[in-house]
């Protein structure tokens, strides 16, 4: 029934290539099927103005899509002179999600910026970004710890994200572009390894949904995140 | 326990003044306690470029906060030269929510723009905006119908929105500013009168939450929206 | 002869609701007939860079029009990314007018920002803004004095503003939208309670005018400002 | 008493060099003493969108100041990415002033853009711009008439502008920078050759002023404009 | 003598991965040593306004650097709201270089946009972009030809680009970042396979140079481009 | 053969009017035939952030074209809200060229800004700007030396720039607009009085060129710069 032939609760292949670029303190190329996102973590020994002198750090994110990551070329945001509402919404979500698993006091007065750039898009770019950002952040913090700059590990646990949706009346896991552009409802869940929820967003597109559907989407998300946690663990193992 | 002395499932007073301004095809001043939002609905006999010639209409929204709607003055977005990510996220949510109850084919090739301007803010400005926008939209469509411009009513049912959150460990309904700025989790639900969900968003702020908490927040939202639906009905009655 | 049936020297009804919003140090909703402007005064304990360390304060203004304050919806300036020339011209005029009655040395190193937001427009929005701004400023300074932050009252006297114009050959007071859009000449006067002039601006629209006409417009403005001073006095009385 | 040694009603030397540049349909370098403005008139065979198909033309203006026209270098507006409120206010005034003497129907569906660029500033740049713009416009229209593109002359009469102000208590004509930056009040008058007024703007800077002062400023302006009209006439004579 | 141990006329390893992404009509990941640039060619069946109706096509380019492509993170241009002068200069150069080998009449009324995004930077990003852009353009045009949309091949020959410079007094080929940031002079040559020059740019950084040095740099560039032409040929072979 | 009747190696008349404006520390109006550029040098007792506290100075440039400097009116960059890529490319070139002859340590912690504004354009505006900028810079530095602010002259020698190109198959010196818009190749050389090269840029427009042509263009440039150096010397002599 799914265009890709997957079963409703089947993820696409998850591929994680840690240390994909050489300059960043942490970097990863993450793939959810044909969706490919490059995430870098940059450590900066300064914090935004609102945190100066408070002894706390900050984790933030920026998101971008290369103009031809998509089926038809989109305008370059740098050339248009502004980031779209969609871009800003996504980068705010990524930042919040990673801060949910970071003890900002333990990080100290420094900032880690997570740049998520979509090389190729096939649905799920924001959830791949979050899932990859955890790997880049883990690598960057490992580096800080190896340099003795942290007294304790500020990263409290894993976080992952996945999209689900109602496609032709059936809740399915990990929407690809064909499904995403025709779904009745579209949800993104950001889950912690301990089972807790950092963010739940479920939006009616073609049709509104009921409480039962919301719960089924959440359960699908749990299945998907279990796979992502395993892939993350493997990627950051020595 | 709540700073306002309300019980956990108690809404603030809902006040709706329809036809608050005279030029707009629909207008309303809506209050959730001390939060006051002016919503106008403007009918335009044209549609955005992507819909031209398709025989369908569009409903969209813009959101703004007067600089001193808040405790301390915020910069005017027109003077800064751009809308914040928060503003764009909110106006996209308002537009989606109202489109969820509008049959765009029945609307015909015209656009209705919902301008939501926050006169005074005390938490819940986006949910008050959505709830008020339904009233303004209803009034504007009533006008179109009275003029014989529509063959059938494109507004399929009521939509309302309310915030809930986990405050000092307890799920509570309709957060005011004091609660919102200290909540562990913060949720917004957009519900239809038939019980369906148009949008669910639940974000961990201070602490992540579990599935049980998500369900309790949704149930609180149902209580609040019941009150809002009643107030909307009263406001649009002749 | 006037569309509204008013006599040439007749003002529209002046309505002033002080303390219209709760967060601002001073606030007012002022109406000149159907023109309604919300003005807030925000006290900030800092001054612009060019005044730092000089022991003087500053009074400045910003002006905006809600998109559907007018007959047809105008584009939101925050969405367009810039303020129009008209907006900037008006906010510069409001700031200058209020500084004309403020002793900036007595104000001390703090700034008061006057935000004038037009809720509904029917001609005369800039003059209503100036007249209302005086009330908001008076309330904000009263607050500073009550807190013992000022050694003496920096507000030297009242200031008010009114538009006049030549409509169908006749000088008339307080143009509404119908008159304003068809006037041969259009003037705005900012007057002090002691009779002095802070600003005179008279512009030919359809036809140029002579010195005699300029003087008649000024005399009409004196009549209108007398009414406004009385309404201001009443609004700020305890 | 004046820094320059001039009497209160004495203009600076007026210098007008017509046809200063070769590409524009009309051009002039105008000097009021050390203030030097280059004005070009560009004829475009199209009108702004709001006038299309109405059989009428348009006259508009843009104003700029070279970064080092002034005592200390100002930021280049093109580099800052926006025009200041002052710039926009001035260019609106220039456009209105020239339209006051142009019969837009006789001009036909074409636009004339007046670019006023200040090469060197010493007070009075906006009034020199208006006075010079008339010359550039006259030359451009002469060219259109010579080409047989106009059935009748759309320029109805001369327009000129001059600043006056109250300096150390005395009304004086044609303020230079030293006076302008210390004046109690600062006025700009745009006058027609037939004695009528197109625009009067009188602003209190250090001190407010009375009706008598306003009239004395206007009379000084009449003296100055008489000189400018003579210089304009000489400049456009063959 | 060179930090990398290369001889003065030794290129870094050239790596070209054609068809790196799936949506674009042509795409390539090109590496000059550690410099990695992703280039996509997007075919659009429309031309810029200045070419409409002329029966000719257009080839243009955009360039961007991912924020952490470099040693320290740079600000994202989309977030800053404008492209730097450097970015614009580079993308103009890339566009000109590819147009030098494209017969725009044979291309027909369509545009090909070359997006060059630097994934990792180690000197020579603009020359890698040009060299890779030829491959992406070749692939895109091959696709158009395979679809029968072109009557003849509009790509006249190969173009490649390479940087050279004077490093510690010695002319060297293909500067890496360590060399580039310490070079006395820095040159970029865009050469055609037939030996002709499309662009020569040689800039003094630390010290000016003489004619003899300019010629030696050009000869080094010929050596480098010979290697690039070979790598390009191999990449586009079936 | 040339539209102007000049021989291939013949410059247009060079005119240099030093001290053209009165406020700038250095200023000049330079003409290459009908191309006229006003250059001012502004001394600022501060440096850009990246140089603070390093005991070095900076020389930078900005470039602009008055809207009607050209045959048809161009949009004003300040009104469009951004500088074009061409403008930024030119101002970067001017700055680099003048820094090539300035000892920034001897200049001390101050900045000199060279504003190059094109009053009238007829080809060669960037090379006239560089050549004129040297005169303005020389005058500004003479002023600093006369005030005893410099221990030694930071200007090491003269710099000049000229365009050359291949027009109808023949290399020619100092292209005017008619030639420039039809040239096969277009080059700009920035040369020092000692014969060295600060910048060489040669771009194929209609046709690529060979090494021999590049050398012939350079030799023409040497002829032109000899004339410019003489004119510069004469202009700055007392």
């Amino acid at each position: 029934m799914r265009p890709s032939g997957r079963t409703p609760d089947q993820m696409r292949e998850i591929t994680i290539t840690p240390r994909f670029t050489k300059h960043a303190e942490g970097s990863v190329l993450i793939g959810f099927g044909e969706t490919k996102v490059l995430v870098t973590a940059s450590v900066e020994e300064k914090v935004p103005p609102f945190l100066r002198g408070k002894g706390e750090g900050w984790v933030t994110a920026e998101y971008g899509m290369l103009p031809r990551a998509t089926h038809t070329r989109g305008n370059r945001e740098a050339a248009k002179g502004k980031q779209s509402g969609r871009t800003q919404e996504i980068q705010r979500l990524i930042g919040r999600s990673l801060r949910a698993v970071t003890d900002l006091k333990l990080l100290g007065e420094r900032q880690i910026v997570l740049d998520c750039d979509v090389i190729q898009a096939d649905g799920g770019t924001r959830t791949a970004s979050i899932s990859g950002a955890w790997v880049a952040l883990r690598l960057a913090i490992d580096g800080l710890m190896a340099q003795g700059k942290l007294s304790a590990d500020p990263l409290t646990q894993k976080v992952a994200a996945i999209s689900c949706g109602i496609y032709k009346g059936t809740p399915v896991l990990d929407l690809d572009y064909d499904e995403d552009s025709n779904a009745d409802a579209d949800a993104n869940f950001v889950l912690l390894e301990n089972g807790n929820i950092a963010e739940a967003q479920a939006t009616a597109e073609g049709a509104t949904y009921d409480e039962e559907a919301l719960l089924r989407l959440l359960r699908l998300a749990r299945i998907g995140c279990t796979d992502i946690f395993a892939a993350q663990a493997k990627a950051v193992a020595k």
Side-chain angles (χ1 to χ4, degrees), chain A:
Chain A
M1 181 223 53
R2 302 180 71 173
S4 60
R6 284 185 282 152
T7 60
D9 62 355
Q10 189 181 347
M11 282 285 292
R12 289 176 288 178
E13 187 188 12
I14 302 165
T15 52
I16 302 185
T17 310
R19 303 175 189 85
F20 187 77
T21 64
K22 70 169 190 174
H23 298 308
E25 284 73 30
S27 79
V28 66
L29 182 72
I30 187 165
F32 281 8
E34 292 287 356
T35 289
K36 311 279 183 194
V37 184
L38 171 59
V39 186
T40 57
S42 297
V43 177
E44 298 178 344
E45 293 295 325
K46 62 178 183 191
V47 286
F50 70 92
L51 279 179
R52 276 182 206 146
K54 300 202 173 161
E56 276 183 60
W58 192 242
V59 173
T60 188
E62 289 190 3
Y63 170 93
M65 178 105 74
L66 295 192
R68 194 57 196 280
T70 44
H71 284 76
T72 56
R73 186 175 183 273
N75 289 326
R76 187 176 289 266
E77 291 190 331
K80 281 193 297 183
K82 64 176 185 173
Q83 295 180 297
S84 70
R86 177 185 173 276
T87 291
Q88 292 187 66
E89 194 170 320
I90 291 175
Q91 62 195 13
R92 284 156 54 91
L93 171 64
I94 301 169
R96 278 200 308 273
S97 298
L98 276 294
R99 286 194 298 274
V101 292
T102 309
D103 183 322
L104 297 172
K105 285 201 188 307
L106 286 182
L107 184 57
E109 269 202 49
R110 55 174 63 85
Q111 173 169 262
I112 301 184
V113 182
L114 299 160
D115 283 291
C116 303
D117 285 277
V118 180
I119 302 295
Q120 190 169 280
D122 189 31
T125 64
R126 81 187 70 188
T127 53
S129 294
I130 292 166
S131 302
W134 183 85
V135 175
L137 182 60
R138 178 70 274 169
L139 294 173
I141 288 175
D142 284 350
L144 286 170
M145 294 184 77
Q147 295 165 58
K149 291 189 173 168
L150 298 172
S151 58
D153 185 356
L155 203 43
T156 59
Q157 60 175 302
K158 289 197 189 72
V159 67
I162 193 66
S163 76
C164 311
I166 302 177
Y167 176 73
K168 302 199 173 175
T170 304
V172 297
L173 176 62
D174 187 23
L175 304 177
D176 59 28
Y177 177 80
D178 282 345
E179 293 168 332
D180 190 31
S181 48
N182 291 292
D184 285 333
D186 175 17
N188 292 291
F189 292 95
V190 182
L191 302 181
L192 272 55
E193 203 172 9
N194 71 2
N196 265 12
I197 305 170
E199 185 103 17
Q201 295 187 340
T203 301
E205 300 284 351
T208 53
Y209 56 92
D210 63 16
E211 187 171 326
E212 181 54 30
L214 178 63
L215 288 177
R216 290 181 61 186
L217 293 173
L218 173 54
R219 274 151 211 172
L220 285 171
R222 292 199 186 284
I223 294 170
C225 285
T226 302
D227 288 359
I228 302 170
F229 292 133
Q232 288 173 332
K234 198 169 145 196
V236 301
K238 294 305 159 300

